[in-house]
Amino acid sequence: VLFRSGSIFYGFFAQRIAERGLYGPVEYLVYGAIMLFLLFFIIFPLFDRRGVKFNTKFMLALLPYILLGAALRVLEDLSLLPRSWNPLEPAYYFVTPGIFLFIAAVTLACLVFSLFASKKFNMDFYKLFAGIGLIFALPIVIFEIVNFQVWIGVIAVLLLVATTTALLVFIFGKLGRKILKPGLNRLAVASQALDGFATLVATQFFFCGEQHPLSALLLDSFPASFVIAKIGLVLVILYYVDKEIKSENLRGFIKIIIIVLGFATGLRDILTLGVGTCL
C-alpha cells in the first residue's frame, strides 16, 4: 500500500524519480536527517573506535567508490540500467537516493573486508581498499570515456576546476592563510569547484537541466553565482571546522563528507556531459 502510485510516499519521495522532476523540501529534510544520523551516530563512532584515520590517504582510497557511484548513475541515464521509484525493486538503487544507499553498502563492505584482510595478511590497508574500488569502477568508467561525445565540455570543466583551485591556493598562500594547506582542504575546494563548474557548463552550454530548486534559481538569475556560492560556502565551513573542532579525526571526517558530496555530483555531471545524454 505504501509503495504505490498515489500514496503519500509516492507524492513526497517517488514522483520526482518517476517524472524526472525537481527535488522537494520534504526530500531534503528527510534525506538530510537520515544521512546526518547515520554518519555521525553510527558510521563515525563505529570506525573511529576501530582506529580508522579519516585523512587524505583514506579520502584518496575512497575516490574509486565515488567514481563507481557516478558511473553507475550515468549508465542509468544512458538507459543501460533500469529505473524505478519503488524501493522494493532493485532498479530503485540505480537512481538517487537509492544509489547512495547501494554505493554506501558496497563501500562499507569493502572497507570492513580491507580492514580485516590488511591486518590478517599484513597488507597496506589504503592500497587494498582503493584497489578493490578500482576493480569495480574502472571497467564502467572506461566504457563511458570511450563513448564520450562532448570532449570540449569535459576539458573546459577540468581546466576551470584546476585553474580556480590553483588560484585560490596561491591567493590564500600570499595572504598567509593556511585554510588551503595541502590535503583534505584542497580536495574539499576542488570537489565543490568540480560540482559547480560541471553544472554551470552543462546547463549553460549543453542544454542540461538542474533538479535542485535553489541551484536552478542561482543558475537562472546569475549563473556564475552558483560556483561562487559553492566555493564560498565550503571555505566558510572549512574555516570553522578547523577552528572549532578539536578532534582531528572528526575534522577529517567532516571534510571527507564535503568532498564526497562534491565529487559524487560533480563526477556524475562531468560523465553525463561527456557521454552527451543532455544533447
Side-chain angles (χ1 to χ4, degrees), residues 90-162:
Y92 176 81
Y93 299 94
F94 296 130
V95 294
T96 308
I99 195 165
F100 279 95
L101 298 174
F102 174 65
I103 295 300
V106 171
T107 303
L108 289 173
C110 293
L111 175 58
V112 171
F113 173 80
S114 298
L115 285 170
F116 171 78
S118 62
K119 292 177 180 178
K120 186 173 182 62
F121 302 107
N122 195 28
M123 301 173 68
D124 185 290
F125 161 72
Y126 298 106
K127 291 180 180 178
L128 178 60
F129 184 44
I132 295 171
L134 286 172
I135 291 172
F136 289 141
L138 280 182
I140 306 172
V141 174
I142 291 171
F143 167 78
E144 291 173 357
I145 291 175
V146 168
N147 288 280
F148 269 12
Q149 300 179 32
V150 191
W151 275 104
I152 188 170
V154 172
I155 293 171
V157 170
L158 294 176
L159 286 175
L160 285 167
V161 172

Side-chain angles (χ1 to χ4, degrees), residues 204 212-227 229-230:
Q204 302 303 307
H212 301 274
L214 180 58
S215 301
L217 179 63
L218 291 174
L219 290 164
D220 289 340
S221 58
F222 179 50
S225 66
F226 179 68
V227 179
K230 289 187 73 67

Side-chain angles (χ1 to χ4, degrees), residues 20-274:
R20 298 179 184 266
L22 296 176
Y23 285 85
V26 174
E27 281 190 285
Y28 280 118
L29 291 173
V30 172
Y31 296 153
I34 293 173
M35 181 185 74
L36 290 174
F37 175 79
L38 291 175
L39 288 172
F40 290 101
F41 291 95
I42 296 179
I43 294 176
F44 176 75
L46 179 65
F47 289 104
D48 183 51
R49 286 197 298 266
R50 282 157 178 76
V52 174
K53 300 300 181 184
F54 296 105
N55 51 24
T56 305
K57 283 186 176 181
F58 181 88
M59 184 60 241
L60 293 176
L62 190 63
L63 274 176
Y65 299 90
I66 304 172
L67 190 57
L68 172 64
L72 281 174
R73 185 67 185 82
V74 173
L75 286 184
E76 191 281 325
D77 289 335
L78 290 167
S79 299
L80 296 177
L81 290 177
R83 179 188 185 92
S84 173
W85 56 264
N86 190 341
L88 299 179
E89 297 177 355
Y92 176 81
Y93 299 94
F94 296 130
V95 294
T96 308
I99 195 165
F100 279 95
L101 298 174
F102 174 65
I103 295 300
V106 171
T107 303
L108 289 173
C110 293
L111 175 58
V112 171
F113 173 80
S114 298
L115 285 170
F116 171 78
S118 62
K119 292 177 180 178
K120 186 173 182 62
F121 302 107
N122 195 28
M123 301 173 68
D124 185 290
F125 161 72
Y126 298 106
K127 291 180 180 178
L128 178 60
F129 184 44
I132 295 171
L134 286 172
I135 291 172
F136 289 141
L138 280 182
I140 306 172
V141 174
I142 291 171
F143 167 78
E144 291 173 357
I145 291 175
V146 168
N147 288 280
F148 269 12
Q149 300 179 32
V150 191
W151 275 104
I152 188 170
V154 172
I155 293 171
V157 170
L158 294 176
L159 286 175
L160 285 167
V161 172
T163 302
T164 301
T165 304
L167 183 61
L168 287 171
V169 170
F170 175 79
I171 291 172
F172 280 101
K174 283 295 184 181
L175 294 174
R177 303 291 183 177
K178 297 181 179 180
I179 189 170
L180 290 185
K181 57 189 176 183
L184 291 176
N185 287 23
R186 291 187 184 181
L187 283 174
V189 170
S191 72
Q192 295 299 320
L194 177 64
D195 183 22
F197 281 118
T199 301
L200 179 69
V201 171
T203 57
Q204 302 303 307
F205 300 101
F206 294 97
F207 311 107
C208 293
E210 174 56 51
Q211 288 185 305
H212 301 274
L214 180 58
S215 301
L217 179 63
L218 291 174
L219 290 164
D220 289 340
S221 58
F222 179 50
S225 66
F226 179 68
V227 179
I228 295 170
K230 289 187 73 67
I231 294 177
L233 180 61
V234 74
L235 288 171
V236 170
I237 293 173
L238 290 173
Y239 172 78
Y240 280 101
V241 166
D242 284 336
K243 182 180 179 182
E244 302 295 338
I245 296 179
K246 305 305 179 184
S247 168
E248 182 180 357
N249 216 29
L250 182 57
R251 287 200 305 269
F253 185 73
I254 294 172
K255 292 173 185 179
I256 284 173
I257 293 171
I258 296 170
I259 296 167
V260 169
L261 291 174
F263 278 137
T265 50
L267 288 170
R268 184 266 174 106
D269 288 346
I270 200 170
L271 290 173
T272 298
L273 178 61

